Amino acid sequence: MYSPITIDALRTLDAIDRRRSFAAAAEELYRVPSAISYTISKLEEDLGVELFDRSRRKAELTAVGRLILEQGRQILVATEELTALAKQTDEGWETELRICIDSLINCEPVYDLIEQFQKLQPRTELRLTEEVLGGSWDALNSEQCDLVIGAEGDPPSQGFGIHLLGQVEFVFAVSASHPLTDMQQPISLQAIQDYPTVVVTDSSRYLPVRSTGLLDGRSRIAVSSIEHKIAAQIRGLGVGYLPKFRIKKELEEGTLKQLMLAETRSPRSISIAWRNTSKGKGVQWFVSQLRQMVFDQDSGLQRPK
Amino acid sequence: MYSPITIDALRTLDAIDRRRSFAAAAEELYRVPSAISYTISKLEEDLGVELFDRSRRKAELTAVGRLILEQGRQILVATEELTALAKQTDEGWETELRICIDSLINCEPVYDLIEQFQKLQPRTELRLTEEVLGGSWDALNSEQCDLVIGAEGDPPSQGFGIHLLGQVEFVFAVSASHPLTDMQQPISLQAIQDYPTVVVTDSSRYLPVRSTGLLDGRSRIAVSSIEHKIAAQIRGLGVGYLPKFRIKKELEEGTLKQLMLAETRSPRSISIAWRNTSKGKGVQWFVSQLRQMVFDQDSGLQRPK
DNA sequence: TTAATTGATCAAAATATTTGAACTATGTAC
DNA sequence: GTACATAGTTCAAATATTTTGATCAATTAA
């Protein structure tokens, strides 16, 4: 036995310091003063170091005593955290829960849920990541995350739990001053070819990459999220489809204009998804909360009235 | 008693996992297998959580068991570190030792010492800071550091241990292409007034600020260290005194030129210094090592042959 | 199949801790 | 200065905890 330090001794030391005396510490720990004396002398002897100034009959720590007290408190906290974590894990709550939010989704309602969850289960560590298009299915499949909010389309393989949130309608939008606004609608695909397209790059790495429905061969501007795509199109850097609910304000204000195309794009369904093997209460909790939400054409993800 | 976790139980758990069986762990811990069984069952019972899969007769951890093992190892390391630290502190070695190196000093020989010290006393945490001019005395006085290397001049108050390293000779230097190089030497103070001076700003905050010996009222460029001052003067941003040993190469290469002034600046003495109240073995060790060093006009701080 | 190994269980033995009473040092009130 | 209260120590006895060794049942290896 290399280290003679004992959780019990650390707890005793802590009580003595907080209560300012051996006698008071004894009372707090439901022991008799001599038992406290014994615990401390034992630690001192095993350690070969004086923890209290024995010159006067007072509970006064030496420098080393203070060191052990202060560092020891950290150890006490760690063990208490550990027991709590163990009990929680045993009850089925995850130690860590990784949620992946698709770039498409409006985050606010999810943040509300997270806040609620943290009040309920402060010891489950939440990790949030953002993925784009197929990236979220991929993250789920490769166990990089436990829950996806806003996965687009159908699962690429078996073994997933899934709940449909709704449909996302995409509109072809360009900046107010864009040359295409002067053309007669519906606009031919041919005409679009002349302008660069803004595409959100797929962050998927393991599963087959999905096409965004836009034709290849044209000049492209690659961005990493819907926010960037919206910004790029407002500035007129390029054109492309955008989820209608995310650009409602821009369409009203006229910073973006919706154009009718010769070929319309069909709405995509979006869902929440999780691995069937996820039995943790955290995932279950989020799933049950999110089941009560819908994805609305006008206002995005929200709890229906 | 809130947390039933015990250092002994954690150690037992660790041994079981490393040795792959209760029996082997028992041997390692000089106990009998039934004692190991007892320790683990007790922890399981107190915690109310199964740590080993009891379905088959094998030392196989549950998920919670693994959690406790892994986190518990951290706690074990912490307690062992703490005992070592306590013993070391009891023997007179500091837990933390803060060394302040004056901007003036060449650091390499100090880094060598630090490396040596860390081999000798890896558990004493060293913190290095750099101060300028009076700043180092100030840091020492206000207990922001325990040892000053390269303090300039005499201590501003009582209670310091001090060891003289040597003298620093300052030369007035300008960049090679500076207009002052065309003037006839010795150069009058009047002539210098026409050019901005580079000054190292005194980082001192509590003790009276020291003058750098340069006249006021002229345009100044303030920098935070000797390195910056040398660089600024090489670029011709300003003129000023520099410690000769720090610009030896620049003078040889001709990127800086030494000028003779009408009024010469007397050499300053530099020392190492510590508080008289510092009884720690770390400070003593550094002091005894640094006593063997001298500050040489040509090559700065070094161990004499 | 047999032999060897592993972990669990249990009563007895060995240890460790707690108790309570007596004692001493220190501080406080008068 | 004395008396009194309080705080920490010491020690033997009481109690609690841990360890042991023998025995048993389940697994695994030969």
mmCIF file of all heavy atoms in Angstrom, chain D residues 2-18:
data_model
loop_
_atom_site.group_PDB
_atom_site.id
_atom_site.type_symbol
_atom_site.label_atom_id
_atom_site.label_comp_id
_atom_site.label_asym_id
_atom_site.label_seq_id
_atom_site.Cartn_x
_atom_site.Cartn_y
_atom_site.Cartn_z
ATOM 1 P P DT D 2 -3.324 31.082 43.066
ATOM 2 O OP1 DT D 2 -2.973 30.662 44.437
ATOM 3 O OP2 DT D 2 -2.625 30.512 41.898
ATOM 4 O "O5'" DT D 2 -4.885 30.875 42.878
ATOM 5 C "C5'" DT D 2 -5.798 31.609 43.697
ATOM 6 C "C4'" DT D 2 -7.210 31.229 43.313
ATOM 7 O "O4'" DT D 2 -7.588 31.903 42.088
ATOM 8 C "C3'" DT D 2 -7.405 29.733 43.055
ATOM 9 O "O3'" DT D 2 -8.601 29.322 43.713
ATOM 10 C "C2'" DT D 2 -7.476 29.625 41.543
ATOM 11 C "C1'" DT D 2 -8.081 30.971 41.143
ATOM 12 N N1 DT D 2 -7.712 31.477 39.794
ATOM 13 C C2 DT D 2 -8.679 32.040 38.998
ATOM 14 O O2 DT D 2 -9.849 32.128 39.336
ATOM 15 N N3 DT D 2 -8.237 32.512 37.788
ATOM 16 C C4 DT D 2 -6.945 32.470 37.304
ATOM 17 O O4 DT D 2 -6.669 32.935 36.195
ATOM 18 C C5 DT D 2 -5.973 31.869 38.166
ATOM 19 C C7 DT D 2 -4.556 31.765 37.733
ATOM 20 C C6 DT D 2 -6.395 31.398 39.365
ATOM 21 P P DA D 3 -9.118 27.832 43.611
ATOM 22 O OP1 DA D 3 -9.717 27.449 44.903
ATOM 23 O OP2 DA D 3 -8.078 26.999 42.975
ATOM 24 O "O5'" DA D 3 -10.318 28.004 42.560
ATOM 25 C "C5'" DA D 3 -11.307 29.010 42.759
ATOM 26 C "C4'" DA D 3 -12.318 28.912 41.635
ATOM 27 O "O4'" DA D 3 -11.721 29.419 40.412
ATOM 28 C "C3'" DA D 3 -12.778 27.478 41.330
ATOM 29 O "O3'" DA D 3 -14.165 27.519 41.050
ATOM 30 C "C2'" DA D 3 -11.926 27.080 40.139
ATOM 31 C "C1'" DA D 3 -11.768 28.409 39.402
ATOM 32 N N9 DA D 3 -10.541 28.559 38.613
ATOM 33 C C8 DA D 3 -9.269 28.141 38.910
ATOM 34 N N7 DA D 3 -8.371 28.442 37.994
ATOM 35 C C5 DA D 3 -9.103 29.107 37.028
ATOM 36 C C6 DA D 3 -8.739 29.682 35.802
ATOM 37 N N6 DA D 3 -7.491 29.692 35.326
ATOM 38 N N1 DA D 3 -9.725 30.257 35.065
ATOM 39 C C2 DA D 3 -10.971 30.264 35.550
ATOM 40 N N3 DA D 3 -11.426 29.762 36.693
ATOM 41 C C4 DA D 3 -10.441 29.188 37.388
ATOM 42 P P DC D 4 -14.993 26.185 40.759
ATOM 43 O OP1 DC D 4 -16.259 26.300 41.504
ATOM 44 O OP2 DC D 4 -14.113 25.000 40.944
ATOM 45 O "O5'" DC D 4 -15.308 26.336 39.214
ATOM 46 C "C5'" DC D 4 -15.632 27.615 38.669
ATOM 47 C "C4'" DC D 4 -15.653 27.489 37.160
ATOM 48 O "O4'" DC D 4 -14.332 27.700 36.618
ATOM 49 C "C3'" DC D 4 -16.111 26.119 36.669
ATOM 50 O "O3'" DC D 4 -17.165 26.299 35.738
ATOM 51 C "C2'" DC D 4 -14.868 25.501 36.035
ATOM 52 C "C1'" DC D 4 -14.065 26.736 35.629
ATOM 53 N N1 DC D 4 -12.588 26.529 35.598
ATOM 54 C C2 DC D 4 -11.860 27.136 34.573
ATOM 55 O O2 DC D 4 -12.447 27.825 33.726
ATOM 56 N N3 DC D 4 -10.506 26.961 34.528
ATOM 57 C C4 DC D 4 -9.905 26.215 35.450
ATOM 58 N N4 DC D 4 -8.572 26.086 35.368
ATOM 59 C C5 DC D 4 -10.625 25.592 36.502
ATOM 60 C C6 DC D 4 -11.956 25.776 36.527
ATOM 61 P P DA D 5 -17.957 25.040 35.132
ATOM 62 O OP1 DA D 5 -19.409 25.276 35.266
ATOM 63 O OP2 DA D 5 -17.349 23.789 35.640
ATOM 64 O "O5'" DA D 5 -17.593 25.210 33.596
ATOM 65 C "C5'" DA D 5 -17.608 26.513 33.011
ATOM 66 C "C4'" DA D 5 -16.880 26.463 31.680
ATOM 67 O "O4'" DA D 5 -15.454 26.385 31.919
ATOM 68 C "C3'" DA D 5 -17.249 25.240 30.836
ATOM 69 O "O3'" DA D 5 -17.561 25.695 29.533
ATOM 70 C "C2'" DA D 5 -16.004 24.363 30.865
ATOM 71 C "C1'" DA D 5 -14.896 25.385 31.081
ATOM 72 N N9 DA D 5 -13.713 24.858 31.764
ATOM 73 C C8 DA D 5 -13.677 24.140 32.940
ATOM 74 N N7 DA D 5 -12.460 23.811 33.312
ATOM 75 C C5 DA D 5 -11.648 24.354 32.325
ATOM 76 C C6 DA D 5 -10.261 24.357 32.127
ATOM 77 N N6 DA D 5 -9.406 23.778 32.971
ATOM 78 N N1 DA D 5 -9.773 24.977 31.035
ATOM 79 C C2 DA D 5 -10.643 25.568 30.191
ATOM 80 N N3 DA D 5 -11.963 25.637 30.269
ATOM 81 C C4 DA D 5 -12.406 25.000 31.360
ATOM 82 P P DT D 6 -18.143 24.684 28.438
ATOM 83 O OP1 DT D 6 -19.197 25.404 27.703
ATOM 84 O OP2 DT D 6 -18.394 23.377 29.081
ATOM 85 O "O5'" DT D 6 -16.889 24.534 27.473
ATOM 86 C "C5'" DT D 6 -16.089 25.667 27.154
ATOM 87 C "C4'" DT D 6 -14.859 25.195 26.415
ATOM 88 O "O4'" DT D 6 -13.841 24.784 27.359
ATOM 89 C "C3'" DT D 6 -15.110 23.996 25.507
ATOM 90 O "O3'" DT D 6 -14.619 24.296 24.221
ATOM 91 C "C2'" DT D 6 -14.358 22.857 26.174
ATOM 92 C "C1'" DT D 6 -13.237 23.609 26.887
ATOM 93 N N1 DT D 6 -12.619 22.912 28.055
ATOM 94 C C2 DT D 6 -11.242 22.897 28.158
ATOM 95 O O2 DT D 6 -10.513 23.415 27.348
ATOM 96 N N3 DT D 6 -10.760 22.238 29.261
ATOM 97 C C4 DT D 6 -11.504 21.613 30.251
ATOM 98 O O4 DT D 6 -10.948 21.069 31.185
ATOM 99 C C5 DT D 6 -12.926 21.674 30.081
ATOM 100 C C7 DT D 6 -13.828 21.015 31.085
ATOM 101 C C6 DT D 6 -13.431 22.314 29.002
ATOM 102 P P DA D 7 -14.757 23.199 23.014
ATOM 103 O OP1 DA D 7 -15.116 23.940 21.799
ATOM 104 O OP2 DA D 7 -15.564 22.048 23.459
ATOM 105 O "O5'" DA D 7 -13.249 22.714 22.884
ATOM 106 C "C5'" DA D 7 -12.197 23.665 22.737
ATOM 107 C "C4'" DA D 7 -10.902 22.908 22.577
ATOM 108 O "O4'" DA D 7 -10.501 22.424 23.888
ATOM 109 C "C3'" DA D 7 -11.076 21.677 21.691
ATOM 110 O "O3'" DA D 7 -10.017 21.582 20.760
ATOM 111 C "C2'" DA D 7 -11.074 20.512 22.653
ATOM 112 C "C1'" DA D 7 -10.301 21.032 23.845
ATOM 113 N N9 DA D 7 -10.776 20.471 25.104
ATOM 114 C C8 DA D 7 -12.073 20.256 25.479
ATOM 115 N N7 DA D 7 -12.191 19.702 26.666
ATOM 116 C C5 DA D 7 -10.874 19.537 27.087
ATOM 117 C C6 DA D 7 -10.310 19.008 28.256
ATOM 118 N N6 DA D 7 -11.045 18.525 29.262
ATOM 119 N N1 DA D 7 -8.963 19.002 28.350
ATOM 120 C C2 DA D 7 -8.234 19.498 27.337
ATOM 121 N N3 DA D 7 -8.650 20.022 26.194
ATOM 122 C C4 DA D 7 -9.996 20.011 26.131
ATOM 123 P P DG D 8 -10.043 20.439 19.702
ATOM 124 O OP1 DG D 8 -9.557 20.982 18.423
ATOM 125 O OP2 DG D 8 -11.339 19.741 19.779
ATOM 126 O "O5'" DG D 8 -8.920 19.469 20.286
ATOM 127 C "C5'" DG D 8 -7.582 19.939 20.345
ATOM 128 C "C4'" DG D 8 -6.731 18.913 21.065
ATOM 129 O "O4'" DG D 8 -7.276 18.699 22.383
ATOM 130 C "C3'" DG D 8 -6.692 17.535 20.388
ATOM 131 O "O3'" DG D 8 -5.337 17.110 20.326
ATOM 132 C "C2'" DG D 8 -7.532 16.653 21.300
ATOM 133 C "C1'" DG D 8 -7.345 17.317 22.650
ATOM 134 N N9 DG D 8 -8.460 17.079 23.564
ATOM 135 C C8 DG D 8 -9.807 17.267 23.345
ATOM 136 N N7 DG D 8 -10.555 16.943 24.363
ATOM 137 C C5 DG D 8 -9.646 16.511 25.327
ATOM 138 C C6 DG D 8 -9.871 16.032 26.635
ATOM 139 O O6 DG D 8 -10.941 15.880 27.230
ATOM 140 N N1 DG D 8 -8.676 15.699 27.268
ATOM 141 C C2 DG D 8 -7.425 15.820 26.694
ATOM 142 N N2 DG D 8 -6.387 15.463 27.444
ATOM 143 N N3 DG D 8 -7.203 16.272 25.477
ATOM 144 C C4 DG D 8 -8.356 16.591 24.848
ATOM 145 P P DT D 9 -4.937 15.744 19.682
ATOM 146 O OP1 DT D 9 -3.702 15.954 18.908
ATOM 147 O OP2 DT D 9 -6.121 15.126 19.070
ATOM 148 O "O5'" DT D 9 -4.553 14.898 20.984
ATOM 149 C "C5'" DT D 9 -3.597 15.416 21.895
ATOM 150 C "C4'" DT D 9 -3.420 14.431 23.044
ATOM 151 O "O4'" DT D 9 -4.614 14.407 23.855
ATOM 152 C "C3'" DT D 9 -3.157 12.991 22.600
ATOM 153 O "O3'" DT D 9 -1.950 12.553 23.234
ATOM 154 C "C2'" DT D 9 -4.376 12.215 23.080
ATOM 155 C "C1'" DT D 9 -4.888 13.077 24.231
ATOM 156 N N1 DT D 9 -6.360 13.013 24.495
ATOM 157 C C2 DT D 9 -6.787 12.606 25.739
ATOM 158 O O2 DT D 9 -6.044 12.270 26.639
ATOM 159 N N3 DT D 9 -8.166 12.599 25.900
ATOM 160 C C4 DT D 9 -9.112 12.954 24.968
ATOM 161 O O4 DT D 9 -10.306 12.904 25.248
ATOM 162 C C5 DT D 9 -8.592 13.368 23.686
ATOM 163 C C7 DT D 9 -9.540 13.769 22.610
ATOM 164 C C6 DT D 9 -7.255 13.381 23.510
ATOM 165 P P DT D 10 -1.230 11.242 22.732
ATOM 166 O OP1 DT D 10 0.219 11.547 22.744
ATOM 167 O OP2 DT D 10 -1.891 10.774 21.508
ATOM 168 O "O5'" DT D 10 -1.551 10.195 23.895
ATOM 169 C "C5'" DT D 10 -1.533 10.608 25.254
ATOM 170 C "C4'" DT D 10 -2.179 9.547 26.128
ATOM 171 O "O4'" DT D 10 -3.609 9.775 26.215
ATOM 172 C "C3'" DT D 10 -2.011 8.102 25.640
ATOM 173 O "O3'" DT D 10 -1.441 7.348 26.695
ATOM 174 C "C2'" DT D 10 -3.424 7.648 25.282
ATOM 175 C "C1'" DT D 10 -4.284 8.544 26.179
ATOM 176 N N1 DT D 10 -5.651 8.834 25.678
ATOM 177 C C2 DT D 10 -6.708 8.743 26.571
ATOM 178 O O2 DT D 10 -6.581 8.419 27.732
ATOM 179 N N3 DT D 10 -7.936 9.062 26.038
ATOM 180 C C4 DT D 10 -8.206 9.431 24.724
ATOM 181 O O4 DT D 10 -9.343 9.688 24.368
ATOM 182 C C5 DT D 10 -7.053 9.506 23.854
ATOM 183 C C7 DT D 10 -7.232 9.903 22.439
ATOM 184 C C6 DT D 10 -5.842 9.207 24.363
ATOM 185 P P DC D 11 -0.801 5.920 26.437
ATOM 186 O OP1 DC D 11 0.401 5.865 27.295
ATOM 187 O OP2 DC D 11 -0.706 5.630 24.991
ATOM 188 O "O5'" DC D 11 -1.900 4.945 27.069
ATOM 189 C "C5'" DC D 11 -2.465 5.228 28.349
ATOM 190 C "C4'" DC D 11 -3.649 4.316 28.586
ATOM 191 O "O4'" DC D 11 -4.843 4.943 28.057
ATOM 192 C "C3'" DC D 11 -3.537 2.952 27.898
ATOM 193 O "O3'" DC D 11 -3.875 1.929 28.812
ATOM 194 C "C2'" DC D 11 -4.535 3.037 26.759
ATOM 195 C "C1'" DC D 11 -5.592 3.978 27.344
ATOM 196 N N1 DC D 11 -6.399 4.672 26.320
ATOM 197 C C2 DC D 11 -7.728 5.027 26.618
ATOM 198 O O2 DC D 11 -8.193 4.733 27.727
ATOM 199 N N3 DC D 11 -8.463 5.653 25.668
ATOM 200 C C4 DC D 11 -7.912 5.939 24.479
ATOM 201 N N4 DC D 11 -8.688 6.569 23.588
ATOM 202 C C5 DC D 11 -6.570 5.606 24.158
ATOM 203 C C6 DC D 11 -5.854 4.979 25.107
ATOM 204 P P DA D 12 -3.396 0.421 28.554
ATOM 205 O OP1 DA D 12 -2.249 0.172 29.445
ATOM 206 O OP2 DA D 12 -3.276 0.174 27.095
ATOM 207 O "O5'" DA D 12 -4.646 -0.402 29.096
ATOM 208 C "C5'" DA D 12 -5.323 0.024 30.291
ATOM 209 C "C4'" DA D 12 -6.794 -0.337 30.188
ATOM 210 O "O4'" DA D 12 -7.420 0.517 29.203
ATOM 211 C "C3'" DA D 12 -7.043 -1.778 29.731
ATOM 212 O "O3'" DA D 12 -8.143 -2.304 30.465
ATOM 213 C "C2'" DA D 12 -7.349 -1.625 28.248
ATOM 214 C "C1'" DA D 12 -8.076 -0.285 28.231
ATOM 215 N N9 DA D 12 -7.991 0.442 26.959
ATOM 216 C C8 DA D 12 -6.917 0.523 26.121
ATOM 217 N N7 DA D 12 -7.140 1.265 25.055
ATOM 218 C C5 DA D 12 -8.449 1.695 25.209
ATOM 219 C C6 DA D 12 -9.284 2.508 24.429
ATOM 220 N N6 DA D 12 -8.902 3.067 23.281
ATOM 221 N N1 DA D 12 -10.533 2.742 24.872
ATOM 222 C C2 DA D 12 -10.916 2.181 26.026
ATOM 223 N N3 DA D 12 -10.229 1.406 26.855
ATOM 224 C C4 DA D 12 -8.987 1.197 26.376
ATOM 225 P P DA D 13 -8.642 -3.808 30.228
ATOM 226 O OP1 DA D 13 -8.785 -4.419 31.568
ATOM 227 O OP2 DA D 13 -7.809 -4.467 29.191
ATOM 228 O "O5'" DA D 13 -10.092 -3.591 29.618
ATOM 229 C "C5'" DA D 13 -10.970 -2.651 30.236
ATOM 230 C "C4'" DA D 13 -12.200 -2.495 29.358
ATOM 231 O "O4'" DA D 13 -11.851 -1.705 28.192
ATOM 232 C "C3'" DA D 13 -12.754 -3.819 28.838
ATOM 233 O "O3'" DA D 13 -14.164 -3.802 29.021
ATOM 234 C "C2'" DA D 13 -12.333 -3.847 27.373
ATOM 235 C "C1'" DA D 13 -12.296 -2.366 27.015
ATOM 236 N N9 DA D 13 -11.358 -2.011 25.944
ATOM 237 C C8 DA D 13 -10.072 -2.435 25.782
ATOM 238 N N7 DA D 13 -9.469 -1.934 24.728
ATOM 239 C C5 DA D 13 -10.440 -1.115 24.161
ATOM 240 C C6 DA D 13 -10.432 -0.304 23.017
ATOM 241 N N6 DA D 13 -9.373 -0.162 22.201
ATOM 242 N N1 DA D 13 -11.559 0.383 22.733
ATOM 243 C C2 DA D 13 -12.619 0.249 23.544
ATOM 244 N N3 DA D 13 -12.750 -0.489 24.643
ATOM 245 C C4 DA D 13 -11.607 -1.151 24.899
ATOM 246 P P DA D 14 -15.103 -4.942 28.342
ATOM 247 O OP1 DA D 14 -16.250 -5.155 29.250
ATOM 248 O OP2 DA D 14 -14.258 -6.071 27.904
ATOM 249 O "O5'" DA D 14 -15.641 -4.187 27.053
ATOM 250 C "C5'" DA D 14 -16.425 -3.019 27.201
ATOM 251 C "C4'" DA D 14 -16.989 -2.620 25.843
ATOM 252 O "O4'" DA D 14 -15.889 -2.277 24.960
ATOM 253 C "C3'" DA D 14 -17.776 -3.734 25.130
ATOM 254 O "O3'" DA D 14 -18.933 -3.146 24.564
ATOM 255 C "C2'" DA D 14 -16.792 -4.252 24.092
ATOM 256 C "C1'" DA D 14 -15.984 -3.003 23.746
ATOM 257 N N9 DA D 14 -14.627 -3.239 23.272
ATOM 258 C C8 DA D 14 -13.689 -4.088 23.786
ATOM 259 N N7 DA D 14 -12.540 -4.068 23.151
ATOM 260 C C5 DA D 14 -12.730 -3.134 22.151
ATOM 261 C C6 DA D 14 -11.891 -2.656 21.140
ATOM 262 N N6 DA D 14 -10.629 -3.056 20.959
ATOM 263 N N1 DA D 14 -12.391 -1.720 20.294
ATOM 264 C C2 DA D 14 -13.652 -1.305 20.481
ATOM 265 N N3 DA D 14 -14.536 -1.691 21.407
ATOM 266 C C4 DA D 14 -14.006 -2.609 22.208
ATOM 267 P P DT D 15 -19.963 -4.050 23.750
ATOM 268 O OP1 DT D 15 -21.293 -3.482 23.984
ATOM 269 O OP2 DT D 15 -19.667 -5.484 23.986
ATOM 270 O "O5'" DT D 15 -19.529 -3.706 22.261
ATOM 271 C "C5'" DT D 15 -19.497 -2.338 21.838
ATOM 272 C "C4'" DT D 15 -18.992 -2.288 20.425
ATOM 273 O "O4'" DT D 15 -17.588 -2.629 20.382
ATOM 274 C "C3'" DT D 15 -19.706 -3.241 19.472
ATOM 275 O "O3'" DT D 15 -20.273 -2.438 18.464
ATOM 276 C "C2'" DT D 15 -18.606 -4.177 18.981
ATOM 277 C "C1'" DT D 15 -17.356 -3.317 19.174
ATOM 278 N N1 DT D 15 -16.050 -4.021 19.335
ATOM 279 C C2 DT D 15 -15.002 -3.635 18.537
ATOM 280 O O2 DT D 15 -15.085 -2.753 17.707
ATOM 281 N N3 DT D 15 -13.832 -4.311 18.752
ATOM 282 C C4 DT D 15 -13.615 -5.327 19.667
ATOM 283 O O4 DT D 15 -12.517 -5.844 19.763
ATOM 284 C C5 DT D 15 -14.753 -5.683 20.469
ATOM 285 C C7 DT D 15 -14.626 -6.772 21.494
ATOM 286 C C6 DT D 15 -15.918 -5.030 20.272
ATOM 287 P P DA D 16 -21.144 -3.021 17.273
ATOM 288 O OP1 DA D 16 -22.277 -2.113 17.068
ATOM 289 O OP2 DA D 16 -21.346 -4.475 17.479
ATOM 290 O "O5'" DA D 16 -20.122 -2.848 16.055
ATOM 291 C "C5'" DA D 16 -19.285 -1.694 16.008
ATOM 292 C "C4'" DA D 16 -18.409 -1.762 14.775
ATOM 293 O "O4'" DA D 16 -17.186 -2.451 15.093
ATOM 294 C "C3'" DA D 16 -19.031 -2.483 13.589
ATOM 295 O "O3'" DA D 16 -18.769 -1.695 12.452
ATOM 296 C "C2'" DA D 16 -18.332 -3.846 13.583
ATOM 297 C "C1'" DA D 16 -16.978 -3.527 14.204
ATOM 298 N N9 DA D 16 -16.375 -4.594 15.000
ATOM 299 C C8 DA D 16 -16.975 -5.349 15.971
ATOM 300 N N7 DA D 16 -16.181 -6.235 16.540
ATOM 301 C C5 DA D 16 -14.964 -6.039 15.886
ATOM 302 C C6 DA D 16 -13.702 -6.664 16.031
ATOM 303 N N6 DA D 16 -13.453 -7.645 16.910
ATOM 304 N N1 DA D 16 -12.703 -6.237 15.237
ATOM 305 C C2 DA D 16 -12.955 -5.251 14.361
ATOM 306 N N3 DA D 16 -14.083 -4.593 14.140
ATOM 307 C C4 DA D 16 -15.073 -5.041 14.944
ATOM 308 P P DT D 17 -19.176 -2.098 11.003
ATOM 309 O OP1 DT D 17 -19.540 -0.869 10.300
ATOM 310 O OP2 DT D 17 -20.092 -3.267 11.064
ATOM 311 O "O5'" DT D 17 -17.782 -2.597 10.428
ATOM 312 C "C5'" DT D 17 -16.624 -1.809 10.635
ATOM 313 C "C4'" DT D 17 -15.418 -2.548 10.123
ATOM 314 O "O4'" DT D 17 -15.067 -3.605 11.034
ATOM 315 C "C3'" DT D 17 -15.609 -3.188 8.757
ATOM 316 O "O3'" DT D 17 -14.581 -2.685 7.935
ATOM 317 C "C2'" DT D 17 -15.502 -4.697 9.030
ATOM 318 C "C1'" DT D 17 -14.648 -4.721 10.289
ATOM 319 N N1 DT D 17 -14.801 -5.900 11.209
ATOM 320 C C2 DT D 17 -13.689 -6.622 11.586
ATOM 321 O O2 DT D 17 -12.567 -6.372 11.187
ATOM 322 N N3 DT D 17 -13.922 -7.657 12.453
ATOM 323 C C4 DT D 17 -15.133 -8.029 12.985
ATOM 324 O O4 DT D 17 -15.210 -8.971 13.765
ATOM 325 C C5 DT D 17 -16.266 -7.244 12.558
ATOM 326 C C7 DT D 17 -17.625 -7.580 13.084
ATOM 327 C C6 DT D 17 -16.060 -6.222 11.701
ATOM 328 P P DT D 18 -14.486 -3.061 6.373
ATOM 329 O OP1 DT D 18 -13.940 -1.892 5.670
ATOM 330 O OP2 DT D 18 -15.747 -3.702 5.949
ATOM 331 O "O5'" DT D 18 -13.351 -4.170 6.436
ATOM 332 C "C5'" DT D 18 -12.098 -3.841 7.014
ATOM 333 C "C4'" DT D 18 -11.255 -5.079 7.128
ATOM 334 O "O4'" DT D 18 -11.830 -5.992 8.078
ATOM 335 C "C3'" DT D 18 -11.104 -5.856 5.820
ATOM 336 O "O3'" DT D 18 -9.719 -5.924 5.553
ATOM 337 C "C2'" DT D 18 -11.753 -7.214 6.111
ATOM 338 C "C1'" DT D 18 -11.637 -7.311 7.618
ATOM 339 N N1 DT D 18 -12.646 -8.141 8.345
ATOM 340 C C2 DT D 18 -12.212 -9.155 9.184
ATOM 341 O O2 DT D 18 -11.040 -9.422 9.351
ATOM 342 N N3 DT D 18 -13.211 -9.845 9.835
ATOM 343 C C4 DT D 18 -14.574 -9.620 9.728
ATOM 344 O O4 DT D 18 -15.363 -10.301 10.370
ATOM 345 C C5 DT D 18 -14.955 -8.552 8.840
ATOM 346 C C7 DT D 18 -16.412 -8.235 8.660
ATOM 347 C C6 DT D 18 -13.999 -7.863 8.188
#
